[in-house]
Amino acid sequence: MSFTRSHLFASTAALLLACTPAIAEDLVIGTKSEPSSLDPQFHVLSPNMQVSLAIFEPLVRQDAQGAIEPLLAESWELASPTEWDFHLRDGVTFSDGTPLTAQDVVFSLDRVAKVPNSPTPFTLFTRQIAGVEALDDTTVRITTKQTYPNLTVDLVNLPIMSKAAASGDAPEGRTTTELNRGEGLIGTGPFTFSSWQKGADLVLEANTSYWGGAPDWDRVIMRPMTNPATRSAALLAGDIDMMEDVPTGSVDQIEGDPSVKIVSGPPARVIFIALDQDRDDSPGISGTEGENPLKIKEVREALFRAIDREGIVSRVMGGAAVAAGSLGTPNMFGTSAEHEVPAPADPERAAQLLEDAGYGDGFSITLGSPSGRYVNDARVAQTVAAMWSRIGVKTAVDAAAPPVFFKNRDQRAYSAYLASWGNNTGEIGTTLGAQLATYDKEASQGSANAGRYSNPELDALLSKASKTMDDDARAKLLEEADALAMSDFAILPIHFEVPSWGLRADLEYEARADQFTLPQNVTRSE
């Protein structure tokens, strides 16, 4: 048999087509802020955790609605009331080709407490763990300090690192500085680290040997764009494929363009104002003869009642939020039914409370706020400032770029600040424990409690709930704790954000209750 030139050309072309890889495609995401670190155990912060979960994987994960499902651990069971045995999935390798073993899990969980200088440490999720041991190469036993029903929920937040890649001379192995340079960033996840410079693109590449199958994207570019209007303009111009937090002012324009669309989820992240209830000479307060009025319950209640939450939701958030009377959404496990619906604004009552507290002439205060971290955050702070000023508390807003704001907050530079907490456990105990439990660094309690609110009765309720296995009994304890904190005006809830993403019309993304933007879950429409 002989080949003609045309046959030879056709055969050669077919061979070339067969050997040519699919056209590379990038996914470009406009993010509202960049991570503060690539160390997956340095800082409990959403931008950090969503990047971490693209490179690393935990033993278990949550689906978009928050339900626990297996990941690196294929199954688990209780060996005793305080001993959990996790069985690792077969055939999982790190991106460098080395196999995942139980020793990697032991190393990773042991490293958490050794990471220094964390603004919000991951010990929040290991505080109930007494020990971790490898029973064999594929079985890990985790022993808790007491019966602890939420262990799997905590493990969702603890990515597993490669012991070989992340070991080093420092007590924690690879340091945060080294990991920020990309050294030792070896995980089992769908993407690998490529490059990152602060203030510029973070680039991930597909892990072509990923055990769960090759991801849809050859590269993922996470581009920090703190200005929401800039993100919207970039999406509409086709410069990015997806954006976080669609600003209320851009909703109509995006919904009117057939090339893009919006997906949104149920309200989850709570926006609140924390108040310094610890120091007598609190920064940013004047007109009080050196006293801190925020330590007085009536003053905190006055500030709470001065806020028109429904007005903020309708006029500032454009309806893309739900007014909050508690730190937990009404459907969250343990939220107090008494505080599901916030009390309406009552400026007259607020002014009387100030008078009763000895501050009838008011005082001055500075309200710290990020600018660009949460939807319309600085505008919400300005609106609250106007409402407080109306009752005699003259309020100035100090709005700063998110990295500056978080640095100031962690250094306790504010007497009052607007911030947020995203609860991905589905139980209000996690939020109350982080934001309002008495601050105790050694016990990893109150890790985000920069206002330093302290109430032994609340601590006792949270402690008792954390070791109560019976769901009904635990819910009752948490509801009591939530009601206690809200009745004490320990913190001032404002609203729950309704999370939203803008994306190309030919892409799909299931809105997540935890508000994480996970590139591995972005797919092309079929």
Side-chain angles (χ1 to χ4, degrees):
M1 187 169 63
S2 63
F3 287 94
T4 63
R5 284 186 65 181
S6 60
H7 280 140
L8 181 60
F9 177 81
S11 299
T12 303
L15 181 61
L16 286 172
L17 282 173
C19 296
T20 301
I23 296 172
E25 187 169 359
D26 296 343
L27 176 69
V28 185
I29 304 173
T31 61
K32 57 191 175 186
S33 59
E34 65 178 341
S36 63
S37 172
L38 297 183
D39 183 339
Q41 298 177 338
F42 175 66
H43 189 184
V44 180
L45 193 68
S46 293
N48 297 25
M49 296 170 78
Q50 63 189 20
V51 170
S52 167
L53 291 173
I55 301 173
F56 301 92
E57 294 177 307
L59 292 176
V60 295
R61 68 181 173 189
Q62 286 177 309
D63 66 14
Q65 286 74 43
I68 298 292
E69 54 186 28
L71 192 57
L72 293 183
E74 204 163 29
S75 63
W76 55 91
E77 72 271 347
L78 275 169
S80 77
T82 58
E83 293 175 314
W84 298 62
D85 290 348
F86 291 85
H87 304 284
L88 301 184
R89 187 181 298 274
D90 288 336
V92 175
T93 61
F94 288 97
S95 58
D96 63 359
T98 57
L100 168 76
T101 73
Q103 290 297 341
D104 297 301
V105 180
V106 174
F107 169 82
S108 299
L109 300 188
D110 180 63
R111 181 179 182 271
V112 171
K114 298 176 180 176
V115 177
N117 305 317
S118 169
T120 309
F122 277 75
T123 48
L124 171 66
F125 305 116
T126 59
R127 67 194 187 288
Q128 293 293 344
I129 295 178
V132 185
E133 60 180 315
L135 299 185
D136 55 46
D137 279 352
T138 60
T139 309
V140 179
R141 172 164 293 176
I142 298 178
T143 303
T144 57
K145 296 175 182 175
Q146 57 190 14
T147 53
Y148 184 56
N150 286 333
L151 178 63
T152 54
V153 176
D154 283 351
L155 292 177
V156 163
N157 302 287
L158 298 170
I160 303 305
M161 307 171 74
S162 160
K163 179 181 178 181
S167 292
D169 296 333
E172 70 274 27
R174 290 283 192 180
T175 65
T176 297
T177 300
E178 290 174 318
L179 290 163
N180 285 342
R181 292 197 297 257
E183 300 168 14
L185 282 179
I186 301 297
T188 61
F191 294 97
T192 63
F193 172 77
S194 177
S195 64
W196 180 49
Q197 284 189 326
K198 280 270 189 181
D201 290 351
L202 168 68
V203 182
L204 307 176
E205 293 184 350
N207 176 5
T208 54
S209 59
Y210 179 53
W211 63 268
D216 277 15
W217 311 102
D218 296 292
R219 293 198 314 163
V220 171
I221 299 163
M222 305 186 84
R223 180 165 298 161
M225 307 174 78
T226 57
N227 186 318
T230 302
R231 292 198 300 274
S232 296
L235 179 69
L236 289 163
D239 295 333
I240 60 176
D241 304 304
M242 182 178 186
M243 64 171 286
E244 296 178 327
D245 281 1
V246 177
T248 52
S250 299
V251 170
D252 289 345
Q253 192 176 10
I254 292 177
E255 288 184 339
D257 188 327
S259 68
V260 291
K261 62 184 178 183
I262 296 173
V263 296
S264 59
R269 174 176 290 278
V270 63
I271 303 294
F272 59 80
I273 293 176
L275 305 170
D276 181 359
Q277 296 162 66
D278 174 43
R279 296 167 290 184
D280 289 329
D281 188 15
S282 189
I285 294 178
S286 61
T288 62
E289 298 181 349
E291 295 181 344
N292 178 0
L294 304 179
K295 298 173 77 171
I296 303 172
K297 177 182 172 182
E298 286 76 11
V299 172
R300 300 195 300 271
E301 181 178 354
L303 297 177
F304 174 86
R305 295 195 181 281
I307 299 172
D308 179 0
R309 290 164 178 77
E310 295 293 350
I312 290 174
V313 167
S314 62
R315 294 192 292 275
V316 181
M317 297 299 293
V322 175
S326 160
L327 294 182
T329 57
N331 63 347
M332 186 176 288
F333 187 90
T335 294
S336 163
E338 181 186 352
H339 295 86
E340 287 181 359
V341 178
D346 190 345
E348 291 76 20
R349 171 67 178 151
Q352 184 60 53
L353 285 163
L354 285 179
E355 180 77 32
D356 295 345
Y359 289 97
D361 294 331
F363 56 91
S364 297
I365 193 170
T366 299
L367 175 63
S369 171
S371 181
R373 174 65 183 88
Y374 314 112
V375 177
N376 297 337
D377 43 15
R379 284 182 59 200
V380 172
Q382 291 286 0
T383 304
V384 170
M387 293 170 177
W388 283 0
S389 296
R390 202 171 298 145
I391 63 167
V393 179
K394 302 176 187 63
T395 307
V397 173
D398 179 7
V404 177
F405 166 79
F406 285 114
K407 181 179 179 182
N408 290 341
R409 184 203 63 176
D410 295 337
Q411 294 177 345
R412 304 194 67 210
Y414 304 121
S415 57
Y417 62 88
L418 181 146
S420 175
W421 186 260
N423 183 317
N424 67 342
T425 67
E427 285 204 17
I428 197 170
T430 308
T431 303
L432 294 175
Q435 295 291 340
L436 294 176
T438 300
Y439 178 75
D440 184 338
K441 184 176 181 180
E442 296 303 318
S444 300
Q445 179 176 286
S447 57
N449 182 3
R452 298 295 191 267
Y453 173 78
S454 178
N455 185 332
E457 188 179 353
L458 178 71
D459 295 341
L461 285 167
L462 293 176
S463 175
K464 189 173 180 180
S466 71
K467 53 191 173 189
T468 300
M469 298 294 283
D470 180 83
D471 284 351
D472 291 340
R474 190 166 75 258
K476 189 175 179 182
L477 288 165
L478 291 175
E479 288 167 10
E480 190 176 346
D482 185 32
L484 175 64
M486 294 303 103
S487 298
D488 206 17
F489 304 95
I491 202 166
L492 312 183
I494 305 296
H495 61 259
F496 300 105
E497 286 186 350
V498 174
S500 65
W501 293 262
L503 65 165
R504 276 175 17 204
D506 63 339
L507 300 182
E508 300 293 339
Y509 188 70
E510 185 177 8
R512 296 182 59 85
D514 57 21
Q515 292 189 273
F516 288 162
T517 302
L518 300 180
Q520 59 267 41
N521 291 356
V522 183
T523 60
R524 298 177 182 85
S525 302
E526 294 182 356

